[in-house]
Each structure stands twice: as structure tokens, then as C-alpha cells.
Amino acid sequence: DTGVSQDPRHKITKRGQNVTFRCDPISEHNRLYWYRQTLGQGPEFLTYFQNEAQLEKSRLLSDRFSAERPKGSFSTLEIQRTEQGDSAMYLCASSPGANQETQYFGPGTRLLVL
Amino acid sequence: SQELEQSPQSLIVQEGKNLTINCTSSKTLYGLYWYKQKYGEGLIFLMMLQKGGEEKSHEKITAKLDEKKQQSSLHITASQPSHAGIYLCGADMDSNYQLIWGAGTKLIIKP
């Protein structure tokens, strides 16, 4: 399967702990996106990368959130000092770029902060 | 308020019946995307519309974008249990490839 993959699929953590999620995009997709989704809502944009460059970050995103895409392939999203309000599904998507902008999503990482 | 409004929020339809889901924006859309999501899973791409008046079909699902590019509809003909899920519309409003999303329409198919 050459789709977008995310790891882990589920994460339970205690408030105050740090967590890191990984996303592997479709091979050769230049753009990579992170979203957060809570129950009954559509995805909320967090950030996106064009190759290894982080081009946009949501103004709503706390400083506790950081994302990297060091080699322009996989990406990591880290949340420091987690809070209960961080509990959500974290979705990663990739798109080819070059005027082909359909985003293909991974299965998501469901985070529960206790 | 949502920049992208979806209606209805939820829909229960008898198997075999047709249904329509709407997605409305207050701004002109550069691109409109329809996705389907099963509970607790990622989004599956259905269709993308860009041109005013454009219509696309895949199997029993048809999506249209109106001439003014501010409203889209998703129509399912002869619904089946496999159509059940959450349908989400996502829109590119600023031509910057960041999608704004509707809250989704939950579709239940009654056998």
C-alpha cells in the first residue's frame, strides 16, 4: 500500500507529557499537511510543508506544537506539555504539488490526554 | 460561524432512495473537494470541482459546483449501506492550497 501512513494510530498520555506523531506521505508528494479534528467537526488546519520548508502555520496553533519535515519526506508533529484540550484526531495529508492539489489523507492518530 | 456551511448535519435515508448534501460558501471558491470519512478513520477523496457549472460523477455519486462557485451539492442515487459515513466538503478560498472545511454531514442508510 503506497498511501499516506501515520504512526501511532492511537496514543493515550497523561497531561503534561510530550507526544510525537509521524506521517509518511505518498512517495514524491511535495506538500504535506497536518490537521486536527474533534468529534463532529471538520479538520482544522495546523501547518503545511512544501518539501522540507514549513510554509504556513495556523495562528491558532499553540507554541507547544511543533512540526518538522527534515528531508522533505516524512514529517513529525510534536506536542509538548499536553493538555486535555489537545485530545483529538491528528490527520496528515499529502498532495503532489505542481498544480495537482488534491490532498490524500492518512488514517489519523487519535490522541487521548488524561 | 463556519465559513463553509454543510447541510443537513445528519441524514437518515432508506436504502435505495436518493439524497443530496449541500455545501455553501460566502466566498468564491477556487476549488471544492468532497471527501468521505468513516468514524475514527481518515478521509477518502471523492471528487474535486474547480470550474463554475462543473459536474462530476463516480459510480452513483454526482457532485456539482454552481456557476458562481459558491455552492456545491453531492447527490447519491439509489443509496446503499456502503454509502453510510460522514461526508465533508473542503474548499480552497484563497488559492493558497489550505482547505477550509465544513463540519460534515453524517449519513445513515436504513436497510
Side-chain angles (χ1 to χ4, degrees):
Chain A
D1 187 343
T2 56
V4 179
S5 61
Q6 291 186 245
D7 183 69
R9 293 291 309 274
H10 304 273
K11 179 70 177 178
I12 300 175
T13 191
K14 292 183 179 179
R15 190 174 49 187
Q17 297 294 307
N18 300 344
V19 294
T20 300
F21 309 142
R22 176 178 170 127
C23 171
D24 286 88
I26 293 173
S27 178
E28 297 182 0
H29 274 195
N30 293 329
R31 292 202 171 103
L32 187 148
Y33 305 78
W34 284 100
Y35 293 90
R36 177 171 59 192
Q37 186 181 28
T38 53
L39 198 62
Q41 298 297 318
E44 173 192 13
F45 170 79
L46 294 179
T47 188
Y48 95 97
F49 292 83
Q50 170 83 24
N51 298 313
E52 66 275 9
Q54 188 173 15
L55 295 189
E56 190 87 19
K57 188 174 176 180
S58 170
R59 285 169 289 178
L60 301 175
L61 202 59
S62 160
D63 289 344
R64 296 182 296 105
F65 287 71
S66 62
E68 293 182 341
R69 194 183 183 196
K71 296 181 181 178
S73 56
F74 74 92
S75 175
T76 57
L77 177 70
E78 180 182 18
I79 308 174
Q80 296 182 323
R81 304 180 303 281
T82 52
E83 301 173 357
Q84 288 185 323
D86 296 332
S87 297
M89 173 79 93
Y90 290 83
L91 295 163
C92 174
S94 69
S95 67
N99 296 322
Q100 296 183 57
E101 300 312 326
T102 298
Q103 296 179 26
Y104 297 90
F105 282 78
T109 294
R110 183 169 293 281
L111 172 66
L112 177 61
V113 182
L114 301 176
Chain B
S1 62
Q2 294 262 17
E3 290 184 89
L4 209 56
E5 294 280 349
Q6 273 189 251
S7 62
Q9 284 187 318
S10 62
L11 194 53
I12 302 174
V13 173
Q14 190 74 41
E15 183 178 352
K17 297 295 186 183
N18 303 339
L19 64 107
T20 300
I21 298 168
N22 293 302
C23 179
T24 304
S25 168
S26 56
K27 299 180 182 180
T28 299
L29 305 172
Y30 286 91
L32 190 288
Y33 299 77
W34 283 101
Y35 287 81
K36 180 185 174 184
Q37 186 177 30
K38 293 278 190 183
Y39 177 75
E41 299 181 9
L43 281 66
I44 299 168
F45 171 72
L46 296 176
M47 275 173 275
M48 186 265 279
L49 305 164
Q50 280 188 305
K51 299 176 184 176
E54 187 174 8
E55 178 175 324
K56 288 186 177 178
S57 293
H58 177 66
E59 297 179 345
K60 295 185 177 180
I61 301 176
T62 300
K64 301 178 186 180
L65 183 62
D66 75 348
E67 290 290 341
K68 292 184 179 179
K69 295 172 63 175
Q70 288 189 286
Q71 183 169 357
S72 178
S73 61
L74 185 84
H75 185 76
I76 299 177
T77 304
S79 58
Q80 301 170 348
S82 61
H83 289 129
I86 300 168
Y87 289 82
L88 289 150
C89 62
D92 179 359
M93 293 186 176
D94 299 313
S95 191
N96 63 2
Y97 314 124
Q98 293 177 36
L99 298 185
I100 305 297
W101 295 87
T105 295
K106 183 176 181 181
L107 174 62
I108 296 171
I109 306 295
K110 280 178 23 181

